[in-house]
Amino acid sequence: MAALRSDAARSRARIIDIARTHDRATLRLNEVAREAGVGVGTVYRHFPTVHALVEALSVDTLDAMLATSRRAAAVPDPGEGLALYLRSALTLQLEDGGLQAVLLSPEDEAEAVRTVKREIFETFASLLEAARAAGAIRADLTVGHLAHLVCGIEHAVRLGSPDDLPLLLQVMLDGLKPQPLATYTG
Amino acid sequence: MAALRSDAARSRARIIDIARTHDRATLRLNEVAREAGVGVGTVYRHFPTVHALVEALSVDTLDAMLATSRRAAAVPDPGEGLALYLRSALTLQLEDGGLQAVLLSPEDEAEAVRTVKREIFETFASLLEAARAAGAIRADLTVGHLAHLVCGIEHAVRLGSPDDLPLLLQVMLDGLKPQPLATYTG
DNA sequence: CGTTCAAGCGGATAGGTCATCCGCTTGAGA
DNA sequence: TCTCAAGCGGATGACCTATCCGCTTGAACG
């Protein structure tokens, strides 16, 4: 990203500040422009699509997610490491309402986002591999399954209250373990 | 619902037929009107909101859900009964893309829908109670938690492929069991 | 049947949102 | 100070939703 002219940097920051006060799912670029005191054209030049703005709002959270995944990789017990990462990812996704969309989007506006996402997924994959090797997790689960499950639990928590997080997370974590006994498969 | 005039019944049926061919999440009433060969006004008279139409598209599925819940209540083993219901509910929700919205909506357009939903939830609640009494499920889970979890798993399956259903369902079912050992709660 | 009219129909259109385009302004390098 | 690429604003065309009202029609009744 080339250095921005000072006025452009100011506009961009104002837009992001205002956008942060809005629900990510119902962002209206024209409304953000009005509240930020800039022209609509300015918003659309900085962020050609709503997704571009949502992405920009999530870069900090993405960095936090990467940091967490690396911290999790340093945990001696692979099962605990994976669990720590899953818990953190879920918490971050619940805090940042746009993160799920950014993580799942196949296209990224910003090159930096693409890079961080790749690094997160790579770390995530090695966490899973280690946990599997340690027999801490069902062998038939892929990184995709886990990512989708986290998004699913996020969805479930959003349908209820944040207070449900610990319980629903625990249900997921328990379900991920290799099951000792045959389970009903009707 | 008072008996419809023959032309009104015909219009209504045409609208529903066409609407069934559309994605529930992106239904456009004007588009449905055009395709159904009726005026926009006719669509809006029969279905004042998109949700009213979505609801109408789901009445059959709701009936199936109620029937399934009663079948599940007749299963001798309470744990198996609950599992059967959860599996069926998830399958129905995946088949009917508008069902989750109908089930979760606090307001119902049609009185019949309100009634069926109440009966489903009542049966669901007694299935849970029986399973809990039999020690087949964690004691701290409510009907709300389970309903939200099913919606969460539905979400997870939709993010991937329908092939993921058996595995993700099993993860949920295993996680719902009372856990024999202490779990990592970091 | 013919008559009557409530029920139903169609679609023009008012109102609202989105995103582009272009003439004006300004930061900053020379 | 001069120059002009970069940035800005907002008018506006394109599109979408949902209402309203004058016209049409099914069906009840004598």
Side-chain angles (χ1 to χ4, degrees):
Chain A
M1 186 186 303
L4 290 174
R5 231 169 68 169
S6 63
D7 53 346
R10 201 181 321 123
S11 295
R12 193 173 196 280
R14 270 194 206 167
I15 292 165
I16 288 186
D17 283 352
I18 292 295
R20 264 191 220 293
T21 69
H22 288 243
D23 172 29
R24 305 298 211 291
T26 56
L27 267 187
R28 286 107 138 323
L29 263 30
N30 284 38
E31 193 177 346
V32 169
R34 188 169 37 72
E35 289 184 27
V38 303
V40 211
T42 300
V43 173
Y44 278 91
R45 189 166 344 89
H46 283 285
F47 307 102
T49 65
V50 173
H51 185 74
L53 179 50
V54 170
E55 223 178 64
L57 293 173
S58 288
V59 289
D60 291 348
T61 318
L62 284 171
D63 288 345
M65 203 162 192
L66 179 55
T68 293
S69 70
R70 292 191 168 150
R71 226 174 296 129
V75 171
D77 180 312
E80 281 187 23
L82 181 62
L84 170 63
Y85 174 70
L86 292 174
R87 182 193 325 323
S88 307
L90 187 48
T91 304
L92 289 171
Q93 284 184 215
L94 282 164
E95 282 168 0
D96 182 341
L99 191 58
Q100 181 172 151
V102 174
L103 288 170
L104 294 173
S105 170
E107 308 278 297
D108 303 309
E109 295 280 337
E111 176 61 24
V113 168
R114 210 170 65 77
T115 306
V116 179
K117 275 173 61 176
R118 201 190 50 238
E119 290 176 322
I120 290 172
F121 288 132
E122 285 169 1
T123 315
F124 189 5
S126 60
L127 281 166
L128 171 59
E129 203 174 334
R132 187 185 294 134
I137 191 162
R138 298 176 83 108
D140 48 1
L141 287 162
T142 66
V143 179
H145 291 138
L146 291 187
H148 295 165
L149 274 171
V150 170
C151 292
I153 300 297
E154 177 193 347
H155 185 72
V157 173
R158 284 190 195 285
L159 292 177
S161 115
D163 296 344
D164 296 338
L165 171 56
L167 177 55
L168 301 190
L169 171 68
Q170 197 58 53
V171 166
M172 179 183 81
L173 292 178
D174 287 342
L176 295 178
K177 294 175 189 161
Q179 295 298 308
L181 303 161
T183 51
Y184 173 73
T185 54
Chain B
M1 186 185 305
L4 289 175
R5 230 169 69 168
S6 63
D7 54 347
R10 201 181 322 124
S11 294
R12 193 172 196 281
R14 269 194 207 165
I15 292 166
I16 288 186
D17 283 351
I18 291 295
R20 264 190 220 293
T21 70
H22 288 243
D23 172 30
R24 307 294 215 282
T26 56
L27 266 187
R28 282 104 134 324
L29 263 29
N30 285 40
E31 194 178 344
V32 169
R34 189 170 37 73
E35 288 184 26
V38 303
V40 210
T42 301
V43 172
Y44 279 91
R45 189 166 343 89
H46 284 284
F47 307 102
T49 64
V50 173
H51 185 74
L53 179 50
V54 170
E55 224 178 63
L57 292 173
S58 288
V59 289
D60 290 349
T61 318
L62 283 170
D63 288 345
M65 203 162 192
L66 179 56
T68 294
S69 70
R70 293 193 167 147
R71 227 174 297 131
V75 171
D77 181 311
E80 281 187 22
L82 181 61
L84 171 63
Y85 174 70
L86 293 173
R87 179 188 333 319
S88 308
L90 187 47
T91 303
L92 289 171
Q93 283 184 216
L94 281 163
E95 283 168 1
D96 182 341
L99 191 58
Q100 181 172 149
V102 174
L103 287 170
L104 294 171
S105 169
E107 308 277 296
D108 303 308
E109 294 280 337
E111 177 61 24
V113 169
R114 210 171 64 78
T115 306
V116 179
K117 276 173 61 175
R118 201 190 50 241
E119 289 175 322
I120 290 171
F121 287 133
E122 284 169 2
T123 315
F124 189 6
S126 60
L127 281 168
L128 172 59
E129 204 174 333
R132 187 185 294 132
I137 191 161
R138 299 176 81 108
D140 47 2
L141 287 162
T142 66
V143 178
H145 291 140
L146 291 186
H148 295 164
L149 274 171
V150 170
C151 292
I153 300 297
E154 177 193 348
H155 185 72
V157 173
R158 283 190 196 286
L159 292 178
S161 115
D163 297 345
D164 296 339
L165 170 56
L167 177 56
L168 301 189
L169 172 68
Q170 197 59 53
V171 166
M172 179 182 81
L173 292 177
D174 287 342
L176 296 178
K177 295 175 189 162
Q179 294 298 308
L181 305 160
T183 51
Y184 173 74
T185 53

